[in-house]
Amino acid sequence: MRLMLVMPLAPWLLALGAAPALALAFDPPLPPPLSIPPISEARRELVTRVVTYGPSPTVARCATRNVGAVHGAQFPPEVNVGLAPRGSPPGAPTRDDRPTAALTFAIDANGAPVDIRPAADSMTSQDMVAAFARWRFMVGPPVADCRIEVSRSYTPLSQASTATLLEIVARRRRDAPSAARREISARGDCGKAPQRLPAQISYPDLRSFDDRDFVAPWAGLLYDIDAEGEVRNVRVVAQGGDPVLADLAGASVADSRFHPGRPVNGCYVTYAARPRPSGAPMRSPARRAPSPAALPARPVKAAAPAKGEACGVTREALNISTQGAYPPALARERVEGWASLRFDVSPEGRIDGVQILAAQPVDAFGAAAAAMLRRARPAPSAEGAKGCVVPVSFAMKDLVED
């Protein structure tokens, strides 16, 4: 469709005997082009792999000296999703793959790693960071600029061993990746409809294993069910830590019964105890901790203002819900820590200007504490408050666990 625009002529054109009006024809503007992703991205697809780590180092390389590890362990396998060229063969590398994972950190006088961060030249997962936060090194003078490296390899999910997949599910507990669960189920017919319904489930008593070991014991088992509902062919496929837990788990599975139905094989179950809490790093004045007394993470209340600061918020003024506040990876590894925050309170009772003064042993505790604080709704006041400081502790005793 073409539009006509009629415009009057200037007086000097009329004096020359021009027509009283000039008609201009033009096409309407075209619609904007469709958004098309770059070719390089359009030709890529998501691939799911299993990441396994090589042997863990026994020594940390630091700026002034090397420090030996007292408590350390093999990093657990993980499920990883990467972006690979479309149509690539299984196992083809993605653009984010790295042959090693590296962490930078410092070590305090008690041998606890602090200021833990993924190295700038390494793609490191939060699960690895959380697992490393449990480590302990030799006691001595604090040391900074430390680094560890560990090799890693990538295996397509469909090619990962059942033992590795069971380890992932066992150690991640209820937070296990659904991709790993589906892959294990696909290797048998236990999960296919119609599923066998339990008539009697026997559970092992794992309480004696909880809070005991640096690396808690775990086990992954496979079993079959016959037509009458009897459990057959119970086998421990993977285990770690105390083998007694695996023995108890196998006996409990064998004592279970199901309602009659079609025979199935390749059913799986995992069990894991809880490791002992890591304990939070000490609060050093060099890290600007406002007070040696930390408030519990459940509930969080305002601390008394530091000297010279005009904070009028009392301990009862803040009431923060901590539902889901504990960083998930750190909660799974039972890593404890703390954060120190500064904030203002507006006259309307809104929390403003939240600043993370310090957080140890990882920054995730600071981000979690800041998110909790922003949800606070103290009562309105005439002038509000400025320069309030609150220390927040994250302790496993305050967390409701499975």
Side-chain angles (χ1 to χ4, degrees):
M1 179 180 68
R2 298 177 65 85
L3 300 179
M4 300 294 292
L5 177 63
V6 178
M7 301 177 60
L9 295 180
W12 63 272
L13 288 177
L14 293 175
L16 296 176
L22 179 65
L24 300 178
F26 64 92
D27 292 321
L30 296 175
L34 295 176
S35 176
I36 301 176
I39 295 177
S40 59
E41 295 297 325
R43 292 178 179 174
R44 295 180 183 272
E45 61 185 350
L46 294 176
V47 293
T48 305
R49 296 90 51 79
V50 169
V51 178
T52 52
Y53 293 93
S56 296
T58 58
V59 174
R61 303 194 311 272
C62 301
T64 57
R65 69 181 190 276
N66 294 339
V67 184
V70 176
H71 293 295
Q74 178 92 11
F75 291 105
E78 308 166 1
V79 170
N80 168 274
V81 177
L83 200 59
R86 189 176 299 276
S88 299
T94 72
R95 64 182 181 182
D96 294 330
D97 290 356
R98 301 290 187 276
T100 60
L103 296 169
T104 61
F105 56 99
I107 301 174
D108 69 15
N110 292 331
V114 294
D115 298 323
I116 304 170
R117 294 179 178 84
D121 57 348
S122 171
M123 303 292 291
T124 305
S125 71
Q126 290 302 310
D127 288 337
M128 182 182 176
V129 172
F132 178 71
R134 295 185 52 79
W135 285 36
R136 290 298 180 266
F137 293 86
M138 296 180 64
V139 174
V143 61
D145 297 328
C146 301
R147 180 183 174 102
I148 65 163
E149 295 182 359
V150 60
S151 62
R152 61 183 167 192
S153 58
Y154 302 83
T155 304
L157 183 68
S158 60
Q159 298 178 13
S161 69
T162 301
T164 299
L165 296 174
L166 286 170
E167 179 179 0
I168 293 173
V169 173
R171 301 184 69 168
R172 290 286 297 266
R173 300 167 68 89
R174 292 193 178 185
D175 195 28
S178 57
R181 292 186 178 277
R182 289 195 300 267
E183 181 62 28
I184 299 173
S185 297
R187 298 180 181 186
D189 60 0
C190 190
K192 298 177 181 178
Q195 295 185 2
R196 300 298 299 272
L197 300 178
Q200 169 189 312
I201 297 295
S202 177
Y203 293 97
D205 186 354
L206 304 182
R207 288 175 293 181
S208 62
F209 299 96
D210 286 337
D211 304 314
R212 191 188 73 179
D213 301 322
F214 175 76
V215 177
W218 58 270
L221 301 88
L222 296 179
Y223 61 97
D224 307 328
I225 308 173
D226 65 17
E228 287 72 34
E230 297 287 327
V231 174
R232 306 291 186 187
N233 194 22
V234 178
R235 58 267 192 203
V236 177
V237 178
Q239 64 175 310
D242 193 339
V244 174
L245 182 143
D247 293 339
L248 291 175
S252 294
V253 173
D255 286 342
S256 299
R257 296 292 181 271
F258 291 79
H259 291 288
R262 64 181 180 88
V264 294
N265 62 78
C267 305
Y268 79 92
V269 65
T270 62
Y271 298 97
R274 294 194 298 262
R276 66 172 183 263
S278 68
M282 62 182 181
R283 294 171 178 265
S284 169
R287 292 188 175 89
R288 297 182 295 175
S291 168
L295 297 177
R298 184 183 301 271
V300 177
K301 297 181 180 180
K307 185 177 180 180
E309 292 180 326
C311 177
V313 178
T314 65
R315 287 181 174 270
E316 291 73 28
L318 296 177
N319 186 13
I320 301 173
S321 171
T322 60
Q323 181 67 31
Y326 215 110
L330 296 168
R332 280 196 304 272
E333 292 291 340
R334 310 197 83 209
V335 174
E336 297 181 326
W338 56 268
S340 176
L341 307 175
R342 185 190 304 275
F343 63 99
D344 302 329
V345 182
S346 71
E348 297 79 19
R350 184 178 64 251
I351 301 296
D352 293 321
V354 177
Q355 295 177 306
I356 302 172
L357 302 181
Q360 293 296 349
V362 295
D363 291 340
F365 281 129
M372 285 195 300
L373 183 59
R374 290 188 180 97
R375 293 196 296 266
R377 290 295 179 267
S381 61
E383 298 180 356
K386 297 287 186 180
C388 304
V389 173
V390 58
V392 179
S393 68
F394 290 84
M396 297 309 300
K397 64 181 180 62
D398 301 313
L399 183 67
V400 177
E401 300 181 85
D402 295 336

